[in-house]
């Protein structure tokens, strides 16, 4: 399976985020899954890439030219796909993946998640987005989405696309062939 991971490129995050991200990358490699990610050498992006690569897994980095020019490309990228900008990057990440996992992240991660959800809601694809809710990171977003659901502005089937995982076992279950 090709698993896209959206996440923070910030190095100043809680240790638990890095520990759980390493665990995810190692599991992906052990199962023969391919990591598809943003190709950056910082934060959780670098952490998941290193864990997957060191475990013998394949990593695909989709790298905007500004990241490459800035010398911020991970050395743990096996396959480099260069692109012009963040819009291109999102299209390539989504197109090259079977499922998406969102780790803690900021506005870039939110942008990526909502691009996938919006496209799925109108039928462009049927890919699942799994929010890896490490230490309750996504709780406030989930509350907001529940409010939107109560107000009737989310389409039917939204819950089929967006899933939540609190631990690696949840991710394993959600990524199993029966769930895809």
């Amino acid at each position: 399976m090709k698993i896209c991971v959206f996440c923070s490129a910030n190095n100043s995050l809680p240790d638990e985020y890095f520990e759980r991200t390493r665990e995810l990358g190692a599991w992906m490699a052990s199962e023969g899954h391919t990591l598809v990610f943003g190709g950056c050498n910082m934060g959780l992006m670098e952490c998941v890439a290193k864990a997957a690569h060191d475990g013998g897994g394949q990593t695909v980095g989709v790298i905007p030219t500004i990241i490459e020019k800035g010398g911020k490309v991970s050395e743990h990228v096996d396959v480099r796909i260069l692109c012009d900008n963040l819009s291109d990057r999102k299209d390539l990440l989504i197109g090259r993946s079977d499922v998406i996992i969102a780790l803690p992240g900021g506005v870039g991660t939110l942008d990526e998640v909502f691009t996938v959800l919006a496209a799925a809601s109108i039928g462009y694809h049927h890919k699942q987005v799994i929010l890896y809710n490490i230490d309750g990171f996504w709780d406030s977003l989930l509350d907001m989405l529940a409010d939107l659901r109560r107000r009737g502005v989310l389409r039917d089937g939204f819950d089929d696309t967006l899933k939540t995982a609190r631990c690696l076992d949840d991710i394993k279950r959600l990524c199993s062939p029966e769930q895809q």
Side-chain angles (χ1 to χ4, degrees):
M1 179 179 298
K2 293 175 281 186
I3 301 174
C4 177
V5 174
F6 296 149
C7 59
S8 176
N10 186 340
N11 289 319
S12 301
L13 299 172
D15 289 343
E16 182 179 1
Y17 296 0
F18 287 97
E19 291 164 16
R20 303 278 286 281
T21 298
R22 272 189 291 281
E23 179 184 56
L24 174 65
W27 168 76
M28 289 173 60
S30 73
E31 292 297 312
H33 300 310
T34 297
L35 168 66
V36 182
F37 78 115
C40 188
N41 66 359
M42 298 179 345
L44 299 180
M45 269 199 244
E46 177 71 353
C47 181
V48 72
K50 181 176 182 345
H53 184 78
D54 288 355
Q58 182 176 49
T59 62
V60 177
V62 181
I63 305 158
T65 53
I66 197 167
I67 300 294
E68 184 183 43
K69 287 178 184 174
K72 303 278 189 214
V73 177
S74 173
E75 65 183 50
H76 306 290
V77 174
D78 297 313
V79 177
R80 286 182 183 215
I81 300 170
L82 299 179
C83 60
D84 291 330
N85 55 52
L86 295 177
S87 294
D88 292 342
R89 179 202 238 175
K90 286 186 296 189
D91 290 343
L92 290 163
L93 288 167
I94 296 165
R96 294 183 183 276
S97 62
D98 300 312
V99 65
I100 291 94
I101 298 174
L103 299 172
V107 294
T109 302
L110 287 170
D111 175 51
E112 292 163 337
V113 165
F114 281 109
T115 295
V116 176
L117 293 174
S121 77
I122 58 175
Y124 278 108
H125 61 76
H126 300 286
K127 296 177 186 187
Q128 235 180 37
V129 175
I130 301 167
L131 298 178
Y132 195 178
N133 200 17
I134 300 169
D135 195 30
F137 181 85
W138 294 113
D139 285 351
S140 59
L141 176 65
L142 293 167
D143 289 344
M144 183 194 74
L145 292 171
D147 184 52
L148 292 175
R149 190 175 300 105
R150 281 190 297 278
R151 294 172 186 268
V153 297
L154 294 182
R155 295 180 194 264
D156 289 340
F158 187 80
D159 291 333
D160 295 332
T161 303
L162 183 66
K163 302 294 183 182
T164 305
R166 293 203 173 269
C167 62
L168 184 58
D169 284 340
D170 290 347
I171 289 175
K172 290 175 184 178
R173 181 180 45 79
L174 290 167
C175 288
S176 70
E178 303 85 49
Q179 294 293 319
Q180 297 306 306

